[in-house]
Amino acid sequence: MEFAVFQFELVAKDELRLPRYKGSAFRGLLGHALKRTVCVTRMDRCNGCLLRQDCVYAYIFETFNKRGERVARPFVLEPPLLERRIFPEGDSMLLQLILFGKAVDYIPYLIHTFREMGRMGLGANRGRFWLRRVTYKEKIIYHFEEQALHTDFERENLFSIKADGQTVEKAKIRFITPTAIKQNGQLRKDIDFVSLLKAVKRRIKALSIYHNGHLSDELYFDLDKAQSVSVNGLNLAPFAWKRYSNRQKQKIDLSGFVGEMELRGDLTSFRPLLRMGEIIHIGRGTVYGMGKYLVDIIKD
C-alpha cells in the first residue's frame, strides 16, 4: 500500500486561538474547505451525487465501499503537538498529513485546500494563516514564493517495511496523542503488547482492503511469541476531549490515554508491524491524529 508523509508549515496571519488538542479544529476545517473547493453540485450530502465516484472530496472524506458501508478514510492528519493555545501573528507551526493509496495523487488539491483554509480562518476567533511551504522527505514540493508544485517524488510502500536484522529485546512505546482502543464494545483504559499488535493489524486491514486492493502476508504475527513479551512498566494517563459533530448535532467523546509502555522480550520479528503502526496510527479518531505512538529501542 503506497503512502506519503507531507509536512505543512503554517504561519499565523492573525492571532490564532486553538484548543488544547488541535486535531479536530484542523480536520474539521480541512473537510469543509476541500468540499467547498471541489464540489460542483453543492449538494449537502454525497449520497446520490452522480459525480461521487470521481470526486476528490468523496474519496477522502465520504469513503464508502460498493455496498455503501463506511470504510477507513485514506489519511491521517497529525496536528501541531504543542500545549499552548494562543499563536500570535507571525508564529509558525508544523503539521503532517499522511496519505494512503490513491489519496497521494490528490496532494495538489490538498495543498490548495490548505491555502483556502488559511483565508477562511481557524479556531475560536477564525484567525487567518498562510501556507509557507510543504515538504516531503525534507524536499520542498511547494513554497509560497514559487507558487508551483513539484510532484515528482517517489512514494513509499507500507508493505516494503522489513526487519533490519537488529536483535531487539527491550523497547519503550510512547503514546503521543490520545489513543482510544475498544475491546468488547468498551474503551480500554490500558493496553498490553498483544492488544497493540492486534490494533495495528486491524488498522492495516481496514486501510488496505479499500485503498490497496489486497492484504499482505506481513499482517501475520506469532501469537505465542507475542504473549511471551512482558510489560515491565506501564505509565498511562487519561486524556479527555470531545468534539462537536455537525453531522450528528452533538458532542462526541473521543477520550483516550497517553503515556508509555516498556516491553521486554524477543521483539525482533515484530519491528516491521510496529513500524507500520507508527505511520498509520491505531484505534479511533485517526483522522484527527489520534493513536500516534513511537517506538524507542532500548539498548542495555
Side-chain angles (χ1 to χ4, degrees):
M1 178 169 58
E2 290 187 336
F3 74 95
V5 182
F6 301 97
Q7 188 174 73
F8 288 66
E9 182 181 0
L10 313 177
V11 182
K13 197 171 184 178
D14 304 317
E15 180 181 83
L16 299 178
R17 301 175 188 173
L18 303 178
R20 176 190 177 196
Y21 186 70
K22 302 163 184 63
S24 178
F26 277 102
R27 182 267 175 206
L29 185 59
L30 174 63
H32 182 62
L34 180 61
K35 186 171 185 179
R36 194 169 82 167
T37 297
V38 303
C39 180
V40 297
T41 65
R42 302 303 178 193
M43 296 174 65
D44 291 335
R45 302 283 184 176
C46 297
N47 292 338
C49 178
L50 295 176
L51 306 179
R52 178 172 179 166
Q53 294 301 317
D54 298 309
C55 176
V56 176
Y57 173 80
Y59 177 73
I60 293 177
F61 275 91
E62 298 288 338
T63 320
F64 293 86
N65 61 21
K66 293 180 180 179
R67 296 188 298 274
E69 301 164 333
R70 184 177 290 277
V71 297
R73 280 163 283 187
F75 75 96
V76 170
L77 194 157
E78 292 187 351
L81 299 178
L82 301 169
E83 286 290 326
R84 64 192 181 103
R85 305 183 183 189
I86 305 298
F87 294 82
E89 178 186 350
D91 270 19
S92 63
M93 65 182 79
L94 299 175
L95 63 78
Q96 291 199 138
L97 186 64
I98 307 170
L99 302 177
F100 304 100
K102 190 171 69 174
V104 181
D105 295 335
Y106 298 144
I107 186 61
Y109 290 90
L110 291 162
I111 289 174
H112 175 74
T113 298
F114 266 88
R115 294 170 58 185
E116 289 299 307
M117 289 164 61
R119 287 188 273 267
M120 293 167 66
L122 176 72
N125 64 329
R126 290 297 174 192
R128 296 170 300 164
F129 63 85
W130 54 279
L131 177 61
R132 174 177 282 158
R133 62 182 176 179
V134 180
T135 58
Y136 175 74
K137 290 186 174 181
E138 300 184 354
K139 176 184 176 182
I140 296 176
I141 66 169
Y142 166 84
H143 197 282
F144 82 100
E145 290 181 342
E146 292 184 18
Q147 295 296 310
L149 282 173
H150 305 281
T151 56
D152 55 338
F153 53 84
E154 185 176 348
R155 306 169 189 215
E156 298 183 84
N157 193 300
L158 195 71
F159 298 133
S160 67
I161 297 173
K162 307 293 182 184
D164 59 8
Q166 178 185 0
T167 300
V168 179
E169 296 182 342
K170 193 175 181 182
K172 179 185 291 184
I173 311 293
R174 293 185 288 125
F175 298 97
I176 307 298
T177 61
T179 301
I181 297 175
K182 279 190 173 182
Q183 184 174 359
N184 299 324
Q186 300 294 321
L187 283 176
R188 293 191 56 145
K189 296 182 180 179
D190 59 7
I191 194 169
D192 55 57
F193 186 55
V194 172
S195 298
L196 173 62
L197 294 179
K198 287 182 176 180
V200 174
K201 183 176 178 178
R202 284 195 301 270
R203 173 77 171 140
I204 294 174
K205 183 178 180 181
L207 281 169
S208 61
I209 286 178
Y210 191 76
H211 305 295
N212 185 56
H214 65 276
L215 293 176
S216 168
D217 294 336
E218 302 297 331
L219 292 181
Y220 169 80
F221 67 87
D222 188 324
L223 181 59
D224 290 335
K225 183 181 285 189
Q227 289 174 333
S228 70
V229 174
S230 62
V231 177
N232 272 24
L234 190 63
N235 182 20
L236 303 178
F239 190 109
W241 78 287
K242 297 180 180 180
R243 65 171 293 270
Y244 183 79
S245 170
N246 287 318
R247 182 191 298 273
Q248 300 182 39
K249 304 301 180 184
Q250 63 179 341
K251 284 191 174 182
I252 307 298
D253 188 357
L254 288 171
S255 299
F257 60 78
V258 293
E260 299 177 348
M261 174 173 66
E262 189 172 303
L263 304 170
R264 184 181 291 272
D266 186 358
L267 296 163
T268 305
S269 62
F270 302 111
R271 289 195 69 191
L273 198 59
L274 289 172
R275 174 59 186 142
M276 293 179 198
E278 287 182 303
I279 297 166
I280 63 175
H281 294 214
I282 58 172
R284 301 176 64 199
T286 52
V287 292
Y288 309 106
M290 291 178 62
K292 176 181 176 64
Y293 71 81
L294 295 174
V295 180
D296 297 331
I297 305 301
I298 301 174
K299 297 181 179 180
D300 292 326

